[in-house]
């Protein structure tokens, strides 16, 4: 009973302060949702690129890719590993998987670059005596990295579309 009362107080407090999620359909006239849904994601090389592209498509175009996109998102990925936990025999027991993503948002009409940026994710995994277990742990770290980068890119694109809507409104 106390939890429900606290939940109601928090929800009333959030509505009173004007909090709205970034993807709220009424925020800036739906500009963020419209912008995200009119963005297509170019193919990205390698398996990690496929995973990142699928994560981006799930976040940007949950109802399918746009028929007539206004924006193209181009992403380039690089991956590196950093050994940690070095034993006396120079073997390592843990590693960091670093994924570097460079992205660029381009207008489809005139190929004008609208936004560019770079993100990095670092995820650790255990290096075990079993190669299969180590490979599974590495793949899981790779999947987590793709999710983190997709989330960061979506947030940055949402802020860009929100800024664009604000700029349009201030010029009208």
């Amino acid at each position: 009973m106390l939890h429900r009362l606290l939940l109601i107080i928090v929800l009333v407090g959030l509505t009173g302060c004007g909090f709205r999620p970034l993807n709220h359909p009424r925020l800036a006239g739906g500009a963020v949702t419209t912008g995200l849904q009119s963005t297509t994601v170019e193919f990205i090389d390698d398996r990690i690129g496929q995973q990142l592209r699928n994560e981006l498509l799930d976040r940007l175009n949950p109802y399918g890719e746009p028929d007539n996109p206004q924006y193209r998102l181009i992403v380039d990925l690089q991956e590196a590993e950093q050994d940690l936990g070095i034993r006396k025999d120079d073997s390592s027991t843990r590693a960091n998987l670093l994924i570097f993503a460079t992205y660029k948002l381009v207008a489809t009409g005139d190929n004008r670059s609208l936004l560019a940026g770079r993100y990095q994710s670092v995820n650790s995994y255990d290096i075990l005596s079993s190669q299969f277990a180590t490979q599974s742990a590495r793949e899981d770290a790779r999947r987590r990295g793709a999710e983190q980068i997709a989330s960061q890119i979506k947030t940055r694109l949402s802020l860009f579309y929100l800024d664009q809507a604000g700029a349009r409104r201030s010029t009208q």
Side-chain angles (χ1 to χ4, degrees), residues 22-37 161 165 169:
L22 190 57
N23 295 341
H24 192 277
R26 285 190 251 159
L27 185 64
V32 173
T33 304
T34 303
L36 292 175
Q37 289 176 350
Y161 294 129
R169 264 193 263 134

Side-chain angles (χ1 to χ4, degrees), residues 43-59:
F43 289 100
I44 308 169
D45 291 336
D46 299 326
R47 176 68 184 137
I48 181 68
Q50 292 173 343
Q51 290 174 324
L52 177 61
R53 184 173 186 271
N54 288 337
E55 290 290 334
L56 285 166
L57 288 174
D58 287 346
R59 287 171 166 80

Side-chain angles (χ1 to χ4, degrees), residues 3 16-18 20 24-25 43 54 64 74 76 78 81 113 122 134 136 142 144-145 164 167:
H3 293 297
C17 73
R20 286 191 182 165
H24 192 277
F43 289 100
N54 288 337
I74 303 166
D76 184 45
Q78 292 185 344
E81 287 192 24
S113 179
V122 179
T134 300
S136 294
R142 193 171 280 135
R144 285 182 279 140
Q164 291 292 103

Side-chain angles (χ1 to χ4, degrees), residues 3-172:
H3 293 297
R4 289 183 183 178
L5 181 63
L6 286 174
L7 180 64
I8 291 171
I9 290 171
V10 169
L11 290 176
V12 169
L14 285 177
T15 58
C17 73
F19 172 78
R20 286 191 182 165
L22 190 57
N23 295 341
H24 192 277
R26 285 190 251 159
L27 185 64
V32 173
T33 304
T34 303
L36 292 175
Q37 289 176 350
S38 59
T39 303
T40 187
V41 182
E42 296 286 316
F43 289 100
I44 308 169
D45 291 336
D46 299 326
R47 176 68 184 137
I48 181 68
Q50 292 173 343
Q51 290 174 324
L52 177 61
R53 184 173 186 271
N54 288 337
E55 290 290 334
L56 285 166
L57 288 174
D58 287 346
R59 287 171 166 80
L60 303 180
N61 312 119
Y63 303 111
E65 291 191 69
D67 293 332
N68 191 14
Q70 295 178 351
Y71 307 100
R72 287 185 310 129
L73 181 64
I74 303 166
V75 181
D76 184 45
L77 289 178
Q78 292 185 344
E79 190 177 280
E81 287 192 24
Q82 182 180 48
D83 287 337
L84 305 170
I86 309 294
R87 292 188 202 144
K88 289 181 181 177
D89 64 353
D90 285 340
S91 64
S92 56
T93 58
R94 193 153 176 85
N96 278 341
L97 180 68
L98 297 98
I99 302 173
F100 304 96
T102 305
Y103 68 93
K104 184 168 65 170
L105 185 68
V106 176
T108 54
D110 56 4
N111 284 332
R112 183 172 34 107
S113 179
L114 302 171
L115 178 71
R118 179 180 166 93
Y119 286 112
Q120 172 185 340
S121 78
V122 179
N123 289 287
S124 299
Y125 65 92
D126 289 331
I127 298 174
L128 306 168
S129 58
S130 165
Q131 285 187 341
F132 178 76
T134 300
Q135 183 63 26
S136 294
R138 184 181 296 123
E139 289 301 318
D140 184 56
R142 193 171 280 135
R143 181 192 51 76
R144 285 182 279 140
E147 289 175 359
Q148 292 166 357
I149 289 173
S151 177
Q152 291 171 337
I153 289 175
K154 181 200 173 195
T155 301
R156 184 63 190 105
L157 291 179
S158 297
L159 292 172
F160 171 76
Y161 294 129
L162 185 63
D163 286 346
Q164 291 292 103
R168 268 187 260 138
R169 264 193 263 134
S170 66
T171 58
Q172 292 176 352

